[in-house]
Amino acid sequence: MAFSTGGLFVNECIAITTIFQEAGSWNGAADLARSRNIFGFRKEASAVRTTREVVKRLQKLSLPELELLIDGERQEQTAVCWLAVCRTYRFIREFAAELLFERYLSGRLVISYDDFDVFLDRKAEWHPELEKLTSSTTKKLRQVLFRMMREASVTTAEDHVIAASLTLRLEKLIVEIDPTELRLFPGARLQTA
């Protein structure tokens, strides 16, 4: 539940992945990104925190997915970043697969902060540590998740669930690793095994 910083960070993900290709390691990429101040932060602590967050997400991607992040169309880059977020944070992954995807299938397309709260309460039954979240932390997490969903184009600015637009090459990469991850994208064609 440590996703309370920023949003999808698409441009930052692209920049650090490019540096990763140069540096050859994630630690080297993080060091270069901070030393070059690629995010333009005034405070080093902000640069360290954001770089750490972006690298944590990028490490969840395969090399072909990272290549698509650099060379792909903008919608592919955005979808790859959403995939990385979902792989990094179990809560977001389950929210996308269980709530967004099912809402799209059922035609009940509006998603609200109340839906987030109910989902969080339901998950807290199985994960008591979630009950310890303060109301301000919950509010921030909810705000960041809704921002990420809009940036990933899985919801609209009015919080309506919409079909994600996956290209065939991205869909193929996802299916090769884990076909169930198509559920992270509302409206994606599910593969039959």
Side-chain angles (χ1 to χ4, degrees), residues 43-182:
K43 296 183 180 179
E44 187 174 340
S46 297
V48 168
R49 186 173 50 253
T50 303
T51 303
R52 185 177 340 140
E53 175 63 26
V54 171
V55 167
K56 179 170 49 172
R57 295 176 187 183
L58 293 172
Q59 289 175 320
K60 302 293 184 182
L61 299 172
S62 68
L63 286 176
E65 290 165 341
L66 290 169
E67 290 169 9
L68 188 58
L69 180 60
I70 292 174
D71 299 328
E73 300 167 14
R74 188 62 176 189
Q75 72 183 40
E76 291 172 317
Q77 294 169 326
T78 301
V80 169
C81 290
W82 176 248
L83 182 62
V85 164
C86 290
R87 286 180 181 166
T88 304
Y89 298 106
R90 181 177 170 185
F91 181 86
I92 296 176
R93 178 187 186 91
E94 291 174 359
F95 190 88
E98 295 172 24
L99 195 61
L100 294 180
F101 195 84
E102 294 301 324
R103 281 289 176 91
Y104 183 81
L105 288 178
S106 71
R108 294 178 26 235
L109 302 180
V110 177
I111 191 91
S112 70
Y113 279 9
D114 287 342
D115 294 318
F116 175 94
D117 294 342
V118 168
F119 188 81
L120 180 65
D121 288 344
R122 207 171 75 222
K123 290 298 174 181
E125 292 174 13
W126 296 96
H127 304 282
E129 65 275 12
L130 295 177
E131 293 176 357
K132 297 176 185 171
L133 294 174
T134 64
S135 61
S136 62
T137 299
T138 299
K139 181 179 177 183
K140 181 68 174 172
L141 293 171
R142 185 176 53 216
Q143 193 175 38
V144 170
L145 176 55
F146 274 68
R147 176 181 173 188
M148 283 193 269
M149 291 187 303
R150 286 189 292 272
E151 291 175 358
S153 298
V154 294
T155 63
T156 66
E158 296 80 25
D159 298 325
H160 288 83
V161 180
I162 55 175
S165 180
L166 296 180
T167 61
L168 289 176
R169 63 182 172 173
L170 177 55
E171 184 178 306
K172 183 177 181 234
L173 286 177
I174 293 170
V175 169
E176 286 174 1
I177 293 174
D178 182 359
T180 65
E181 288 186 327
L182 289 175

Side-chain angles (χ1 to χ4, degrees), residues 7-27:
L8 210 53
F9 290 128
V10 177
N11 293 332
E12 293 83 352
C13 286
I14 295 166
I16 291 183
T17 301
T18 302
I19 294 171
F20 169 72
Q21 289 183 325
E22 172 189 335
S25 74
W26 289 115
N27 287 337

